[in-house]
Amino acid sequence: MQRWRGLADLPGGWGRCVATIGVFDGVHRGHQELISRAVELATERDLPSVVVTFDPHPAEVVRPGSHPAQLTTLRRKAELVEELGVDVFCVLPFTQELSKVAPDAFVHEVLVERLHAAAVVVGENFTFGSRAAGNVALLTSLGHRFGFTTEGAKLVTAGELAFSSTYIRSCIDAGDVRAAATALGRPHRLEGIVVRGDGRGHELGFPTANLSTPRFAAVPADGVYACKFTLLNGHKRPPLTAATSVGTNPTFSGRERRVEAFVLDVDEDFYGQRVAIDFVERLRAMEKFPSTEALVEEMHRDVARTRDLLDRPTEPDHRPT
C-alpha cells in the first residue's frame, strides 16, 4: 500500500481511482464495510482504491481543545486500512485553511483535479467542507457535474445500535472493553513506549511495564484488565498475556494516572520498547486496599482470572448495549 502525506506525493501520470473519505478513527466495523465496498468497486472497475483521511482530527482545528479521545494512532490506522486491501492511504493535513474550503471547492480540488475520482464511497452521515455544509446529496449532485458516481453506505448496526467512533469512545470511557471490541471487530488497543516506573510493582512481586501513551489516546476507565501484550517495531514474537492496571494506585495514595502491564510468565525488562496492549476484559474497578498484603492477594486473583479468561477460547459478544 502506498502512503501519501498530502497530495504532493501523488505520482505523475495518475489516472482515475475509487476514493473513500473520512476520519476513520478506530477503523471499526462500520468503517471496515465502507472501505471494503470501495475496494470492491475499485476491483470491479480495475482502478486503484484510495482512502482519504485527515490529521490532526478536524475537531481540534475547528474547536481547539475539543480533540476527541483517539481510538487509533495514524500508524495503526494505516495498518488496519492496509489489511482491507486498500492501494493508497492518503493523509490530508487538516489546517484552518482547509477547514474554510467550501464543499464544492473541496470536491473539485481534491477529488476531481487531483485524485481524478471515478467513484466515491462515503457513509450516509458523511459531511464535508466549510461548516460541514456538504452532505451525501450534495456530493451526489457534484458527482453528476464532474463525472463521478457516489455511494452513501448505510451505518452498521446491531439491533437499534449503530456502531460509531463516538459510541466506542463511550464504551472505553466506561471500561466496557468487551462492547468496544464488538463494535471495533477486535479488542481496543493502546500503543506506546515502555518507560521507567517507581519500581513498586517489582517490590510486590509483580514487575510491570509502564506505558507512555500518546497525548489523546483513549485510555479505558480506571480498573484492572485482562490483556494481550505485543512487542512492536518488527518483533515477530506472539502476543503475551498481561494483567493491566489503569489508574492512580490509590492504595499508595498515587496521583499520576498510569497504564501498567504485568506480563505473565516472562522475566524481562521491556524498557524503551514500543508495545501494544489489547484490552480483552475488565476484571474489576480500581480499589484502595487496607494493606499491602490485601492488595497483593487481590493481584494474585487478578492474574488467575487473566489466565482463565485468555487461556480459553471466547465467543465474541454481539449483544447490543
Side-chain angles (χ1 to χ4, degrees), residues 68-87:
Q70 188 178 53
L71 301 174
T72 44
T73 62
L74 195 60
R75 183 203 306 259
R76 178 63 172 159
K77 190 188 300 186
E79 292 171 350
L80 294 168
V81 164
E82 185 170 16
E83 290 173 4
L84 297 172
V86 169
D87 295 304

Side-chain angles (χ1 to χ4, degrees), residues 15-316:
R16 307 208 75 182
C17 70
V18 175
T20 182
I21 313 170
V23 175
F24 299 124
D25 188 25
V27 193
H28 57 62
R29 286 170 56 188
H31 297 150
Q32 292 164 30
E33 287 208 10
L34 181 66
I35 294 168
S36 294
R37 174 54 187 155
V39 171
E40 178 184 43
L41 194 57
T43 301
E44 291 173 1
R45 300 192 181 193
D46 195 25
L47 296 172
S49 54
V50 179
V51 165
V52 179
T53 191
F54 305 95
D55 181 60
H57 196 288
E60 181 64 18
V61 175
V62 176
R63 297 178 300 280
S66 67
H67 197 303
Q70 188 178 53
L71 301 174
T72 44
T73 62
L74 195 60
R75 183 203 306 259
R76 178 63 172 159
K77 190 188 300 186
E79 292 171 350
L80 294 168
V81 164
E82 185 170 16
E83 290 173 4
L84 297 172
V86 169
D87 295 304
V88 178
F89 182 71
C90 177
V91 180
L92 295 185
F94 199 87
T95 61
Q96 283 286 350
E97 291 72 23
L98 184 59
S99 74
K100 297 172 183 176
V101 174
D104 56 346
F106 176 84
V107 167
H108 185 263
E109 292 171 18
V110 175
L111 296 178
V112 180
E113 288 293 313
R114 304 306 299 272
L115 291 178
H116 306 159
V120 181
V121 182
V122 294
E124 62 181 357
N125 60 347
F126 175 70
T127 60
F128 64 101
S130 177
R131 301 182 182 277
N135 55 22
V136 176
L138 178 59
L139 187 62
T140 302
S141 174
L142 292 170
H144 291 321
R145 185 197 307 176
F146 293 124
F148 63 82
T149 61
T150 302
E151 286 192 20
K154 292 188 176 299
L155 301 179
V156 174
T157 62
E160 297 183 357
L161 172 67
F163 295 137
S164 69
S165 299
T166 300
Y167 164 73
I168 296 166
R169 291 185 194 106
S170 69
C171 292
I172 294 167
D173 193 51
D176 193 349
V177 293
R178 286 193 70 196
T182 297
L184 286 165
R186 64 185 182 280
H188 173 57
R189 168 172 288 196
L190 280 182
E191 294 183 4
I193 304 295
V194 176
V195 297
R196 296 290 185 195
D198 53 25
R200 186 172 287 116
H202 191 276
E203 294 172 1
L204 298 176
F206 296 88
T208 58
N210 298 273
L211 192 69
S212 175
T213 58
R215 179 182 176 191
F216 297 112
V219 178
D222 289 3
V224 179
Y225 298 83
C227 299
K228 285 296 183 180
F229 182 95
T230 304
L231 293 169
L232 302 177
N233 288 340
H235 288 276
K236 301 299 183 183
R237 199 165 169 183
L240 303 168
T241 300
T244 301
S245 167
V246 178
T248 59
N249 209 339
T251 300
F252 297 99
S253 301
R255 294 184 179 181
E256 181 183 352
R257 194 162 187 253
R258 295 179 177 179
V259 178
E260 303 176 273
F262 171 61
V263 183
L264 278 58
D265 307 318
V266 174
D267 183 12
E268 190 171 338
D269 183 356
F270 298 104
Y271 176 66
Q273 298 202 52
R274 193 169 70 88
V275 304
I277 298 176
D278 294 317
F279 289 78
V280 179
E281 183 74 78
R282 191 181 196 212
L283 303 178
R284 62 176 174 86
M286 186 59 63
E287 303 174 50
K288 181 174 182 177
F289 291 89
S291 66
T292 300
E293 292 73 20
L295 170 62
V296 170
E297 287 180 12
E298 189 65 25
M299 291 170 75
H300 279 294
R301 285 190 284 270
D302 294 336
V303 169
R305 289 188 62 199
T306 297
R307 288 190 194 281
D308 182 57
L309 282 165
L310 300 186
D311 286 348
R312 61 178 172 80
T314 57
E315 293 297 322

